C-alpha cells in the first residue's frame, strides 16, 4: 500500500498546493492547510519533486494560477488536475521584456486579487491546523497580539554607545579604501588586526555623477556605522573619491578615525607598516570601551532572503515576519529591500501601507525594473527566479515575491527610502535595493541595520563586514549539509511540529543574543564580505 503524501494549501482561494514530500505518478496526496472540502485529497498524475506545486483543478491556457491567495502566473498550456505545475507549463506575467509591447503601461497599479489574508494566517500559525503556538512576550497564544498598536517594554540590552547617539552591537575597526588600487594594502593591514575588516571594492575611479556620489555616501555610511568603533581611510591620492574628503565626512561623526594616502606616505610596505600602527592604537582604545545599558528600541534589523526555495515563503520568511512584529512592538525598527523581489506582491503591499506617497515610491521602483527589462527585451526568469530558485520549487517572480514579502509580517510599512539613505521612521522601512545579496546587505547596513536576518532555502555562506548576519533556513536537507553555516533551523515548521510563532520567538531570542555579543555562524567562519553597488556603466 502506497504511503499518502502531504501537500500544503496556503489560502482557500489557491488552485495549487505545495508538496511537502516528493510524489510519484499515482500517489494519493493529502492536502493540509486552508482547505475546502473538495481539496482534502488528490491523486498525482506526474512525478513531482518535493516543494513543487500540484494542480488542484484543470487549467486552460492563459488561466490564472493562484497561490497565497494571489495570482503567481498563468497556464502556458492545458494543465490537468493532479499535474506538476512548474516552468514547463506556467508563465510569469511580470518582467517579461521579451514580450515587450509599445502599449505597455508601467505606471499601472498591479492589483491582482481581493484576498490578501494569507500573510496574516502564516505569521500567526503553523503550516498545519492544530500546530501549537507557544505564547511569548506575555501576549496571546500566537505570541503576537491582534492589536499590534499595543507596545511592550523594550528588551534590555548592553550595547556600544556612539558619539552621534546611536548604538552598536559590535566594536570593530573599518579599513576603507577610497579606490581599488589600495585594496591589497587594506587586506594586509586587516589581516594583522583581529577586530579589523577591509572594506575592499573595485571602484573609486571612472565613476560619474550620481554613481560616484552613491559610492562616496555608502563608504561614509560604513565609516559612521554604529557597529564601527574606529576607521582608517586609505587612498592612493589621484582617485575620484578623494580620501581626505571621505575621512573628513567620517571624522565629523566618528572621531576615532585617521587617513593615510599612498602618494603622500610612500610605497606598499610603508603604508602597511603605518596602517598597522594606527590600527593597533585603535584596537587598544576600543578594548577599553565598555557596553552600556540600552534596549531593543536602539536596534534596526535588516530583513533579507537569498537562495530561496519553497520553504522560504511557507516557513522561514513567515517566521521572520512574526519576529518583525515582536521587535517593532518592543520599540525596534526593521528595514527590507530587494525591489525586484516585490514584483507581483503589490496587492499585499497596499494593505500594509497607509501613506499614498510610500506606496507610490515602492511601485515606481518596481515599475522602473520592469521598464528596464522591456527596454532590453529580456525575460527576468532565469535571474528572477534564478535556476536554484526554480529547482527549489519557485516557478515565477510573482511566487518568489509573495513568499519574500512575508518577512514584514503584519506590520505597516512606514517609509520608503533610496539606496544609501538612513532609515529614521519607526517600525518598518522599505529600502530600494537590488535583489543581489551583497548589494542588498550594503543597502540595509547603510540604512542603519546593526544586524541582518538572512533566510535561505538553497544555502549561502555570505556575511557582511558592517553587520553580523544571522543565517536561517527551513530546508532540513540544506541545514544538515551546511550545518556550520546556519544559526537557526526552522524546518520543524515545514514538518508541522513547530508553529511560525515559535519560529519568530526563537528568532527574537537569537537576535537579542547576537546584539549582546554572541557571534553568528558567518562571523565564526570569517565571512565578512563587502562590495559597493554601481548604478551606471563604465564610460571613462
Amino acid at each position: 500500500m502506497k504511503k499518502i503524501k502531504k501537500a500544503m494549501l496556503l489560502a482557500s482561494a489557491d488552485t495549487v498546493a505545495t508538496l511537502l514530500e516528493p510524489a510519484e505518478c499515482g500517489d494519493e496526496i493529502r492536502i493540509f492547510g486552508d482547505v475546502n472540502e473538495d481539496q482534502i485529497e488528490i491523486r498525482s498524475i506526474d512525478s513531482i519533486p518535493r516543494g513543487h506545486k500540484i494542480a488542484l483543478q484543470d487549467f486552460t491556457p492563459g488561466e490564472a494560477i493562484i497561490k497565497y491567495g494571489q495570482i503567481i502566473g498563468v497556464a502556458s498550456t492545458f494543465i490537468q488536475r493532479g499535474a506538476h505545475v512548474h516552468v514547463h507549463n506556467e508563465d510569469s506575467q511580470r518582467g517579461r521584456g521579451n514580450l515587450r509591447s509599445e502599449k505597455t503601461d508601467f505606471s499601472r497599479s498591479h492589483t491582482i486579487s481581493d484576498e490578501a489574508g494569507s500573510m496574516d494566517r502564516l505569521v500567526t500559525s503553523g503550516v498545519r491546523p492544530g500546530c501549537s503556538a507557544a505564547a511569548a512576550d506575555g501576549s496571546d497564544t500566537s505570541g503576537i497580539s491582534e492589536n499590534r498598536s499595543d507596545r511592550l517594554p523594550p528588551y534590555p540590552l548592553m550595547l556600544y554607545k556612539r558619539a552621534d547617539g546611536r548604538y552598536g552591537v559590535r566594536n570593530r575597526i573599518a579599513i576603507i579604501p577610497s579606490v581599488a588600487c589600495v585594496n591589497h594594502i587594506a587586506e594586509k593591514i586587516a589581516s594583522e588586526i583581529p577586530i579589523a575588516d577591509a572594506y575592499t571594492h573595485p571602484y573609486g575611479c571612472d565613476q560619474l555623477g550620481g554613481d560616484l556620489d552613491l559610492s562616496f555616501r555608502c563608504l561614509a555610511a560604513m565609516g559612521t556605522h554604529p557597529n564601527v568603533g574606529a576607521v582608517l581611510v586609505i587612498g592612493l591620492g589621484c582617485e575620484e573619491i578623494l580620501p581626505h574628503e571621505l575621512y573628513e565626512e567620517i571624522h565629523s561623526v566618528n572621531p576615532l578615525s585617521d587617513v593615510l594616502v599612498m602618494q603622500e606616505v610612500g610605497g606598499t610596505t610603508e603604508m602597511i607598516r603605518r596602517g598597522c600602527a594606527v590600527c593597533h592604537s585603535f584596537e587598544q582604545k576600543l578594548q577599553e570601551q565598555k557596553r552600556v545599558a540600552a534596549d531593543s528600541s536602539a536596534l534596526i534589523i535588516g530583513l533579507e532572503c537569498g537562495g530561496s526555495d519553497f520553504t522560504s515563503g511557507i516557513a522561514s520568511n513567515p517566521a521572520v515576519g512574526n519576529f518583525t512584529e515582536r521587535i517593532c512592538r518592543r520599540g525596534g525598527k526593521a528595514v527590507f529591500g530587494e525591489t525586484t523581489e516585490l514584483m507581483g506582491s503589490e496587492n499585499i503591499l497596499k494593505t500594509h501601507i497607509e501613506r499614498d506617497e510610500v506606496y507610490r515610491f515602492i511601485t515606481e521602483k518596481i515599475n522602473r525594473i520592469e521598464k528596464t527589462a522591456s527596454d532590453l527585451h529580456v525575460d527576468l526568469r532565469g535571474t528572477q527566479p534564478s535556476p536554484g530558485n526554480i529547482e527549489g520549487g519557485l516557478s515565477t517572480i510573482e511566487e518568489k515575491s509573495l513568499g519574500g514579502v512575508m518577512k514584514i509580517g503584519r506590520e505597516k510599512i512606514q517609509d520608503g527610502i533610496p539606496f544609501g539613505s538612513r532609515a529614521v521612521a519607526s517600525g518598518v522601512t522599505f529600502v530600494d535595493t537590488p535583489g543581489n545579496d551583497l548589494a542588498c546587505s550594503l543597502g540595509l547596513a547603510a540604512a542603519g541595520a546593526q544586524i541582518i536576518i538572512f533566510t535561505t532555502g538553497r544555502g549561502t555562506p555570505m556575511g557582511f563586514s558592517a553587520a553580523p548576519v544571522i543565517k536561517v533556513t527551513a530546508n532540513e536537507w540544506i541545514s544538515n549539509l551546511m550545518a556550520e553555516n546556519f544559526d537557526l533551523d526552522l524546518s520543524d515548521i515545514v514538518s508541522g511540529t513547530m508553529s511560525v510563532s515559535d519560529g519568530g520567538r526563537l528568532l527574537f531570542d537569537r537576535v537579542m543574543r547576537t546584539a549582546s555579543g554572541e557571534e553568528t555562524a558567518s562571523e565564526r567562519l570569517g565571512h565578512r564580505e563587502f562590495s559597493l553597488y554601481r548604478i551606471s556603466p563604465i564610460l571613462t
Side-chain angles (χ1 to χ4, degrees), residues 195-234:
I195 62 170
D197 301 304
Y199 286 63
T200 57
H201 58 87
Y203 304 127
C205 266
D206 300 318
Q207 294 181 270
L208 302 170
D211 187 52
L212 180 64
D213 177 65
L214 180 61
S215 291
F216 183 94
R217 286 190 290 110
C218 286
L219 291 177
M222 296 303 97
T224 58
H225 192 278
N227 289 344
V228 173
V231 183
L232 174 61
V233 174
I234 61 171

Side-chain angles (χ1 to χ4, degrees), residues 16 19 44-55 78-90 390-391 393 395:
V16 292
L19 270 291
S44 172
I45 64 170
D46 291 323
S47 294
I48 306 176
R50 177 175 181 260
H52 287 226
K53 298 175 290 296
I54 185 170
F78 176 76
I79 302 175
Q80 189 175 343
R81 187 175 190 266
H84 181 202
V85 177
H86 203 45
V87 293
H88 63 288
N89 56 12
E90 179 187 7
I390 291 170
E391 186 177 345
S395 48

Side-chain angles (χ1 to χ4, degrees), residues 407-425:
K407 297 192 296 294
I408 66 172
R410 298 170 296 169
E411 286 295 310
K412 297 296 184 183
I413 302 170
Q414 302 295 338
D415 201 5
I417 60 175
F419 193 101
S421 301
R422 186 183 297 182
V424 294

Side-chain angles (χ1 to χ4, degrees), residues 151-315:
R151 296 301 175 189
L152 293 172
Y155 188 94
L157 293 166
M158 299 294 288
L159 304 173
Y160 295 103
K161 188 169 185 179
R162 303 303 180 200
D164 64 356
R166 292 187 294 168
Y167 291 84
V169 304
R170 297 291 184 267
N171 203 25
R172 297 184 65 82
I173 300 169
I175 303 171
I176 301 179
S178 58
V179 68
C181 309
V182 292
N183 279 347
H184 172 69
I185 294 170
E187 291 167 347
K188 291 293 287 184
I189 297 170
S191 70
E192 298 296 323
I193 314 293
I195 62 170
D197 301 304
Y199 286 63
T200 57
H201 58 87
Y203 304 127
C205 266
D206 300 318
Q207 294 181 270
L208 302 170
D211 187 52
L212 180 64
D213 177 65
L214 180 61
S215 291
F216 183 94
R217 286 190 290 110
C218 286
L219 291 177
M222 296 303 97
T224 58
H225 192 278
N227 289 344
V228 173
V231 183
L232 174 61
V233 174
I234 61 171
L236 178 60
C238 56
E239 57 268 40
E240 291 163 10
I241 294 180
L242 300 176
H244 286 288
E245 286 190 7
L246 180 59
Y247 161 74
E248 292 293 343
E249 184 75 14
I250 292 170
H251 188 72
S252 66
V253 177
N254 188 343
L256 197 57
S257 52
D258 206 343
V259 58
L260 293 173
V261 179
M262 194 171 190
Q263 292 169 0
E264 299 170 2
V265 168
T268 297
T269 303
E270 180 63 11
M271 281 285 287
I272 293 171
R273 185 191 69 79
R274 290 182 60 169
C276 286
V278 170
C279 288
H280 279 303
S281 174
F282 285 162
E283 183 180 27
Q284 292 175 0
K285 291 176 181 177
L286 293 183
Q287 287 173 347
E288 296 170 1
Q289 293 180 4
K290 304 298 181 185
R291 291 175 179 260
V292 300
D295 57 55
S296 53
S297 66
L299 295 180
I300 301 177
I301 308 301
L303 314 175
E304 184 173 358
C305 51
S308 299
D309 72 351
F310 81 99
T311 65
S312 301
I314 67 175

Side-chain angles (χ1 to χ4, degrees), residues 364-409:
E364 284 171 2
K365 303 307 180 186
I366 297 171
N367 291 339
R368 177 200 65 203
I369 294 169
E370 281 202 280
K371 186 176 187 306
T372 300
S374 177
D375 291 344
L376 295 174
H377 297 249
V378 296
D379 184 352
L380 289 181
R381 188 153 68 181
T383 58
Q384 293 289 1
S386 69
N389 300 149
I390 291 170
E391 186 177 345
L394 307 181
S395 48
T396 66
I397 183 58
E398 297 97 313
E399 182 180 8
K400 184 177 180 179
S401 296
L402 289 163
V405 78
M406 295 289 171
K407 297 192 296 294
I408 66 172

